[in-house]
Amino acid sequence: MNYWLMKSEPDVFSFDDLMRSPGRRTCWDGVRNYQARNLLRDAIQPGDGVLFYHSNANPSGVAGIARVVRGGYPDHTAFDPADPHYDPKSRPEAPTWYMVDIEAVEPLPRLLTLAEIKAAKGLEKMVLLTNSRLSVQPVTESEWRIVRRLAGLKP
DNA sequence: GCCAACGTTGGC
DNA sequence: GCCAACGTTGGC
């Protein structure tokens, strides 16, 4: 069982939007970065924990907890010319891009802001801080526990 | 809206 | 394979 952080702009798709989705689930589509793709395709497994992060927000921060319910499979939005994430290089016989499905578990009692994450002992090495551009990133078990505790969740 | 950091593209 | 130009992300 591993832990991940996934970013979404709340103006586009927030944790509340996930809570209101059918079955509280969604497919995590539209990732067009090779490092993130490799994680989606090869590493992220059903049952893994997800920190749902609001980027480009006021303030930005971790908004909720989700879990992976389906492992990597081809991102079909890349095949659709009408989709904003269309990529002609990706074909159904040889997909370039992958996605997973996630399910909301619970919102955090309060948003854990980026400023708090930066200030927290034990979170200095979070990929969020060291490679801020990566939209799907690994989280260590220790970081996972600290984030939950700081946000007021039981371990 | 600005801008720094980073990833990707393409000329050579 | 190098690197400059360009595009995107995301904090502020």
Side-chain angles (χ1 to χ4, degrees):
Chain A
M1 154 113 173
N2 291 299
Y3 302 99
W4 311 96
L5 179 146
M6 298 187 187
K7 292 182 193 172
S8 185
E9 300 191 20
D11 292 349
V12 179
F13 190 82
S14 69
F15 189 77
D16 280 345
D17 291 329
L18 179 61
M19 292 288 288
R20 286 192 292 264
S21 298
R24 294 186 174 188
R25 293 184 182 209
T26 191
C27 54
W28 205 255
D29 62 354
V31 174
R32 298 291 180 267
N33 166 284
Y34 286 100
Q35 212 180 332
R37 185 281 310 269
N38 292 346
L39 296 175
L40 292 168
R41 186 188 60 189
D42 305 330
I44 302 181
Q45 300 291 330
D48 286 355
V50 175
L51 300 176
F52 193 113
Y53 180 84
H54 284 173
S55 62
N56 255 318
N58 299 286
S60 295
V62 178
I65 302 290
R67 77 164 71 91
V68 177
V69 290
R70 181 176 177 187
Y73 63 107
D75 181 345
H76 54 75
T77 65
F79 308 143
D80 177 3
D83 193 282
H85 299 296
Y86 175 59
D87 181 357
K89 291 195 304 295
S90 185
R91 291 165 295 112
E93 327 74 91
T96 305
W97 305 114
Y98 283 73
M99 60 188 181
V100 301
D101 290 353
I102 67 168
E103 176 186 78
V105 176
E106 56 186 336
L108 295 189
R110 62 186 194 85
L111 186 89
L112 186 69
T113 67
L114 178 61
E116 292 174 284
I117 291 170
K118 284 179 175 169
K121 195 146 190 159
L123 298 183
E124 301 86 355
K125 291 182 179 164
M126 275 191 88
V127 178
L128 185 68
L129 306 182
T130 61
N131 181 1
S132 63
R133 298 275 308 272
L134 193 60
S135 66
V136 175
Q137 48 183 257
V139 170
T140 68
E141 190 177 354
S142 148
E143 290 161 353
W144 173 266
R145 283 204 229 98
I146 293 170
V147 165
R148 290 183 61 99
R149 178 170 50 75
L150 292 175
L153 278 181
K154 297 186 199 82

